[in-house]
Amino acid sequence: MGKLVAMTGNTAAYTGAALCRPDLIAAYPITPQSSVVEGLAGMVYNGKLDSNFVQVESEHSAMSVVQGAAAAGGRVFTATSAQGLALMYEPYFRMSTLRIPMVMALATREMTSPETIWSGQQDAMSVREAGWIQMFCESNQEILDMMLQAYMIAEDPRVQLPVNVCYDGFYSSHLIEGLEVPSQAEADAFLPAYAGKTYLDPGAPAALDPLTPGDLMLKYRKNHLDAMEAAQAVIEEVDVKFAARFGRSYGGLIEEYKTEDADVVILTIGGMSGTGKDAVDAAREKGIKAGLVKLRFTRPFPAKRMAKALANCKAFAVID
């Protein structure tokens, strides 16, 4: 059993990331993600984390720096929100199409304009077709745990894709919950040391991602699609492995709550799921056979599991 600690979602994110022993971190502060970067910078500065922390001038630079380090065989991490995600748009796409694994925390927030920093999932949804794996977390415990799972998923030879760990800005990022923090030894036993493929080596100069002819591009796109589909089985396997070691299962691609005999089901994503479960319980007390499905991954989209979970209900509602 790990240490019981009360912490915000952002603290859970950087604590989980640190347990994964990233070789390099590069990020730029933006509300509501800033304390993720600040926390990791403090750990590196105070000698609590053996990692290279690169101060950059923008989110575009942050993604470019981690991209280069990952291409050189390192395990890397960054974090962002909203306009920061928009600014790193170009290298963000390139990260997935190069098929280089990494993890990025995304404290979700509505995009400008109108000018706002309010919580919402518009930023994450705007890039859901960019080729990254996207997972959404309900609780601070899930945020920490998904950092460990995300690296295992991303680095699996069948996948080799970057992963976004998404959670609700402010509602999750800044609010405090009690959670269990694994020891470094426990984390190391679950997530092995990274032996990434080295694409960039000064001793053997090579071109990375040169101009690609059409036929070869189609092949790369097909391989990318196959990897995204293969990720579904990997996600389920990793959830089982995590549960066996830490005693916590999140259901893999989706979580089902009281759906076995449900006539009506609500579909949720992220932090709203806890409130949704309370609504299901209240409906059950009134004799309404209600249930809930929490969509944990938007990419790859778990169509088969969703269809199975909703097959016997009379109606379902998607909560926006």
Side-chain angles (χ1 to χ4, degrees):
M1 181 176 178
K3 183 179 180 181
L4 295 176
V5 184
M7 59 176 63
T8 66
N10 277 347
T11 303
Y14 79 70
T15 301
L19 286 170
C20 298
R21 298 186 183 271
D23 298 299
L24 180 139
I25 303 158
Y28 195 82
I30 182 171
T31 303
Q33 170 274 134
S34 298
S35 55
V36 176
V37 184
E38 294 163 354
L40 287 167
M43 292 183 74
V44 173
Y45 179 80
N46 292 311
K48 296 180 179 179
L49 176 62
D50 182 16
S51 181
N52 294 290
F53 191 96
V54 182
Q55 298 184 43
V56 292
E57 68 275 14
S58 73
E59 288 86 357
H60 188 284
S61 298
M63 182 55 68
S64 298
V65 168
V66 297
Q67 191 172 101
R75 179 179 282 167
V76 299
F77 179 81
T78 189
T80 194
S81 294
Q83 309 311 116
L85 178 62
L87 186 54
M88 64 169 62
Y89 192 74
E90 179 188 10
Y92 180 87
F93 259 84
R94 195 165 183 256
M95 194 75 199
S96 63
T97 52
L98 285 174
R99 301 286 308 282
I100 300 175
M102 68 162 289
V103 174
M104 179 169 76
L106 183 57
T108 59
R109 196 190 95 185
E110 289 297 293
M111 302 288 287
T112 300
S113 175
E115 187 63 34
T116 182
I117 58 170
W118 193 244
S119 182
Q121 295 161 343
Q122 188 181 29
D123 50 4
M125 294 303 173
S126 71
V127 294
R128 65 185 182 275
E129 306 298 355
W132 284 58
I133 292 172
Q134 278 192 343
M135 60 172 71
F136 285 79
C137 302
E138 173 186 348
S139 66
N140 294 357
Q141 181 73 68
E142 191 171 359
I143 294 170
L144 188 149
D145 292 348
M146 287 308 108
M147 290 296 169
L148 288 160
Q149 292 197 33
Y151 277 106
M152 182 171 281
I153 294 164
E155 294 167 3
D156 190 286
R158 294 166 288 178
V159 180
Q160 297 291 293
L161 289 172
V163 178
N164 272 149
V165 178
C166 307
Y167 52 94
D168 295 347
F170 299 106
Y171 291 114
S172 294
S173 65
H174 284 63
L175 297 182
I176 296 172
E177 293 180 348
L179 63 151
E180 187 177 314
V181 180
S183 67
Q184 187 63 64
E186 289 172 325
D188 291 344
F190 175 75
L191 181 68
Y194 184 48
K197 184 176 180 179
T198 301
Y199 296 93
L200 295 177
D201 181 359
L208 181 65
D209 195 25
L211 187 63
T212 305
D215 290 347
L216 192 55
M217 179 179 169
L218 289 174
K219 178 182 178 181
Y220 290 159
R221 286 286 188 266
K222 179 60 166 59
N223 290 344
H224 194 157
L225 176 62
D226 290 344
M228 187 64 79
E229 289 300 304
Q232 296 198 46
V234 175
I235 289 164
E236 303 283 7
E237 292 169 13
V238 170
D239 182 74
V240 172
K241 290 178 182 177
F242 190 89
R245 183 166 292 275
F246 297 104
R248 293 185 293 276
S249 170
Y250 294 96
L253 290 159
I254 64 173
E255 178 190 349
E256 297 183 56
Y257 183 73
K258 298 185 178 180
T259 58
E260 297 85 358
D261 63 341
D263 291 330
V264 292
V265 174
I266 56 174
L267 175 62
T268 60
I269 187 171
M272 69 171 77
S273 303
T275 303
K277 292 171 185 175
D278 287 341
V280 167
D281 291 343
R284 289 272 175 173
E285 290 176 1
K286 296 178 181 179
I288 300 171
K289 292 184 178 180
L292 179 144
V293 172
K294 180 175 74 172
L295 180 63
R296 301 191 62 245
F297 286 79
T298 52
R299 292 294 182 272
F301 187 80
K304 291 181 180 179
R305 281 207 58 190
M306 290 287 291
K308 184 178 179 180
L310 300 172
N312 298 317
C313 68
K314 296 177 180 178
F316 65 90
V318 179
I319 309 300
D320 187 358

